[in-house]
C-alpha cells in the first residue's frame, strides 16, 4: 500500500506520551542469566539496557499512562476520544482486546477500540488506520498506542533473542490540524517470511498443551540472520518508495525515526538512504527493541528533547514480524488541533 495523502485535509499528531517500567535490566545483569557479555551485545546491537515490566504489569498497564500523557499534551478530554487502537504482540489476553481495556481505563466510553497485530510495524499500521478513519469521516480523533511487555514472551534461556527486546509504551493523538500533518504512507507484508519471527504455539494452528509448554513453543523465536537481511532491505526500500511517491528526497527529511531494533541495521539503512547521523533519532541503547512501542517512544523523547518542533519533517519506518514494514512522512505541527 502506497499513498500520497496530501490532497486530503491535514491530519496530524497533536500529542505524544510514553511510559516505561521502572525496572532496568543491564547487559551486565543479562550476562549472569545467559552466556553473553556487555561487549557482545553492545557491538552487535548497540543496546546497553532495557526495561522489564513487573510480574503483575500487563500491556494495558503500560498503555494507559502513555495514552493519558498524550491526551493531556493534546488537550483532549478522554471522554471525547472516538477511536483507540493498541498495536501490540503482547496483549493482556487474546480477548477482550487490550484496546477495549485501555478505553475503559481512560474513561472513553464512546470510543471504538481494538488491537492491531503487525509485529514491530504495528504502530505504523495503526497510525495509518487511524489516519484513514479520520480522513474518511469515521472519527474526529484517535489515540494510537504501541504497548509491549515482550519480557513475558522471551525465552530467558535463549541468548540470541533475550538480549534484544524490552518493555514499554508510547502513544499519540491524531486530530485534524491546520498546518503540517501526514503526507504519505507506505505499508507492506510478506507472509512467506512469517516463520522467521514468531511464537509457534498458543494459537489455533498449535493450541497450548502441556507438550507445547514443555517444548517452550510459547516464547518468541527468531532466525536473526534472515530477519537482519529483511530489515536492512525494507528500511531502505519502504522509505525510498514513500519519498518518491510524495515527490520528496532525503533532503526533505529533518528527523529520521527508524524502528529501534539494532544500531547496525539503522546505520546500514541511513547510509544507503543517504541520511546523515545528526538527523537520526536513536534511543535503543536505553530500551532495546520494544516492538510497536519503539517509534512512539522515540517521538515522545524527541519532543521532550526539543528535536521535534513545529515544522520538523519526520520520516518513520518500522519493520518486523509478519514479516511487515511501514513508513510514514509527516510535518510536525504545534500540537494544535484545527479549530
Ligand atoms: C541477533 C543478531 C544481533 C545476531 O548477530 P549476528 O552478528 O548475526 O550473530 P550470529 O547470529 O551470526 O551469531 C554469531 C555468534 O554469536 C553467538 N551469539 C548469539 N547471541 C549471542 C549473545 N547474546 N551473546 C554472545 N554470543 C551470542 C551465536 O551463537 C553465534 O555463535 P557461533 O558462531 O558459535 O554459532 C542479528 O542477527 C540481528 O540483529 N538480527 C535482527 C534481529 C532483529 O532486529 N529482530 C527484530 C526485528 S523487528
Amino acid at each position: 500500500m502506497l499513498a500520497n495523502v496530501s490532497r486530503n485535509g491535514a491530519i496530524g499528531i497533536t500529542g505524544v506520551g510514553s511510559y516505561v517500567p521502572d525496572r532496568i535490566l543491564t547487559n551486565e545483569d543479562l550476562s549472569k542469566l545467559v552466556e553473553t557479555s556487555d561487549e557482545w551485545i553492545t557491538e552487535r546491537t548497540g543496546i546497553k539496557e532495557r526495561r522489564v515490566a513487573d510480574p503483575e504489569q500487563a500491556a494495558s498497564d503500560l498503555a494507559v499512562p502513555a495514552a493519558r500523557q498524550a491526551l493531556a499534551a493534546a488537550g483532549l478530554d478522554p471522554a471525547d476520544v472516538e477511536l483507540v487502537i493498541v498495536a501490540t504482540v503482547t496483549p493482556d489476553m487474546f480477548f477482550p482486546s487490550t484496546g477495549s481495556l485501555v478505553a475503559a481505563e481512560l474513561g472513553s466510553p464512546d470510543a471504538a477500540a481494538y488491537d492491531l497485530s503487525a509485529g514491530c510495524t504495528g504502530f505504523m499500521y495503526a497510525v495509518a488506520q487511524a489516519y484513514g478513519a479520520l480522513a474518511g469521516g469515521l472519527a474526529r480523533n484517535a489515540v494510537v498506542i504501541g504497548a509491549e511487555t515482550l519480557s513475558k514472551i522471551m525465552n530467558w534461556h535463549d541468548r540470541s533473542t533475550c538480549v534484544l527486546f524490552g518493555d514499554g509504551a508510547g502513544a499519540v493523538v491524531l486530530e485534524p490540524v491546520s498546518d503540517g500533518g501526514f503526507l504519505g504512507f507506505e505499508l507492506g507484508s510478506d507472509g512467506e517470511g512469517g516463520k522467521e519471527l514468531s511464537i509457534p504455539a498458543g494459537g489455533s494452528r498449535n493450541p497450548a498443551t502441556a507438550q507445547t509448554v514443555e517444548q517452550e513453543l510459547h516464547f518468541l523465536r527468531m532466525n536473526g540472520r534472515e530477519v537482519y537481511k529483511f530489515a536492512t532491505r525494507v528500511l531502505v526500500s519502504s522509505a525510498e518508495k514513500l519519498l518518491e511517491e510524495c515527490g520528496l528526497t532525503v533532503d526533505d527529511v529533518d528527523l529520521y525515526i527508524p524502528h529501534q531494533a539494532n544500531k547496525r541495521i539503522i546505520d546500514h539503512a541511513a547510509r544507503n538512504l543517504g541520511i546523515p547521523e545528526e538527523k537520526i533519532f536513536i534511543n535503543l541503547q536505553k530500551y532495546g527493541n520494544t516492538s510497536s512501542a519503539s517509534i512512539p517512544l522515540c517521538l515522545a523523547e524527541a519532543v521532550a528533547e526539543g528535536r521535534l518542533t513545529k515544522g520538523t519533517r519526520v520520516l518513520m519506518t518500522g519493520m518486523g514480524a509478519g514479516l511487515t514494514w511501514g513508513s510514514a512522512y509527516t510535518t510536525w505541527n504545534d500540537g494544535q488541533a484545527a479549530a
Side-chain angles (χ1 to χ4, degrees):
M1 195 173 107
L2 176 62
N4 175 346
V5 296
S6 59
R7 328 170 260 297
N8 305 345
I11 291 161
I13 293 172
T14 55
V16 297
S18 66
Y19 176 82
V20 290
D22 292 335
R23 195 173 143 215
I24 294 173
L25 189 70
T26 64
N27 291 348
E28 191 61 38
D29 297 333
L30 272 169
S31 70
K32 290 169 196 146
L33 287 177
V34 289
E35 205 182 323
T36 190
S37 64
D38 174 45
E39 192 191 358
W40 193 96
I41 303 170
T42 305
E43 193 181 294
R44 302 289 176 118
T45 72
I47 300 164
K48 298 298 282 186
E49 58 187 44
R50 68 289 292 144
R51 300 299 178 108
V52 177
D54 288 337
E56 66 278 8
Q57 272 180 319
S60 67
D61 300 318
L62 275 50
V64 167
R68 284 208 180 108
Q69 211 181 77
L71 285 165
L76 181 65
D77 187 335
D80 296 329
V81 169
E82 299 193 353
L83 175 63
V84 174
I85 309 177
V86 177
T88 185
V89 292
T90 50
D92 289 26
M93 53 195 97
F94 270 165
F95 61 85
S97 75
T98 303
S100 293
L101 301 173
V102 168
E105 192 67 27
L106 289 174
S108 307
D110 295 329
Y114 62 94
D115 292 355
L116 191 149
S117 171
C120 302
T121 319
F123 178 76
M124 300 313 305
Y125 269 54
V127 166
Q129 284 207 350
Y131 176 91
L134 267 63
L138 289 177
R140 278 171 294 198
N141 59 59
V143 180
V144 176
I145 308 161
E148 301 289 5
T149 49
L150 296 166
S151 61
K152 315 265 181 171
I153 57 163
M154 277 308 118
N155 182 340
W156 290 102
H157 304 125
D158 176 7
R159 67 177 182 174
S160 71
T161 53
C162 75
V163 303
L164 302 174
F165 296 92
D167 299 340
V172 298
V173 173
L174 258 66
E175 292 179 275
V177 290
S178 44
D179 57 16
F182 287 97
L183 202 63
F185 295 92
E186 199 276 327
L187 308 175
S189 150
D190 171 17
E192 295 289 329
K195 60 185 181 305
E196 311 297 0
L197 178 50
S198 71
I199 296 182
S204 57
R205 175 69 62 201
N206 207 0
T209 62
Q211 203 181 9
T212 61
V213 172
E214 194 189 324
Q215 292 171 352
E216 301 189 320
L217 297 176
H218 302 266
F219 295 126
L220 177 149
R221 290 200 174 185
M222 181 174 66
N223 179 343
R225 279 184 203 179
E226 284 307 312
V227 175
Y228 188 94
K229 280 192 252 168
F230 159 78
T232 46
R233 188 175 73 247
V234 297
L235 268 191
V236 177
S237 60
S238 178
E240 281 180 347
K241 275 189 213 162
L242 176 59
L243 291 173
E244 191 188 341
E245 179 71 15
C246 294
L248 304 168
T249 71
V250 283
D251 294 338
D252 299 301
V253 175
D254 301 315
L255 192 63
Y256 175 49
I257 304 186
H259 171 47
Q260 308 284 301
N262 181 322
K263 175 85 165 52
R264 279 160 59 212
I265 295 175
I266 294 174
D267 288 346
H268 178 278
R271 227 178 9 256
N272 280 276
L273 287 166
I275 299 179
E277 207 176 322
E278 63 273 14
K279 288 187 176 181
I280 312 171
F281 195 89
I282 294 182
N283 64 8
L284 59 76
Q285 68 282 4
K286 293 189 288 185
Y287 306 121
N289 179 349
T290 56
S291 190
S292 53
S294 111
I295 290 178
L297 270 176
C298 288
L299 288 172
E301 233 174 80
V303 168
E305 289 174 13
R307 286 187 70 183
L308 197 40
T309 55
K310 186 175 164 58
T312 306
R313 298 162 304 170
V314 190
L315 172 67
M316 305 170 244
T317 302
M319 75 287 170
L323 299 167
T324 55
W325 64 89
S327 295
Y329 182 94
T330 189
T331 302
W332 211 250
N333 53 73
D334 54 9
Q336 295 295 309

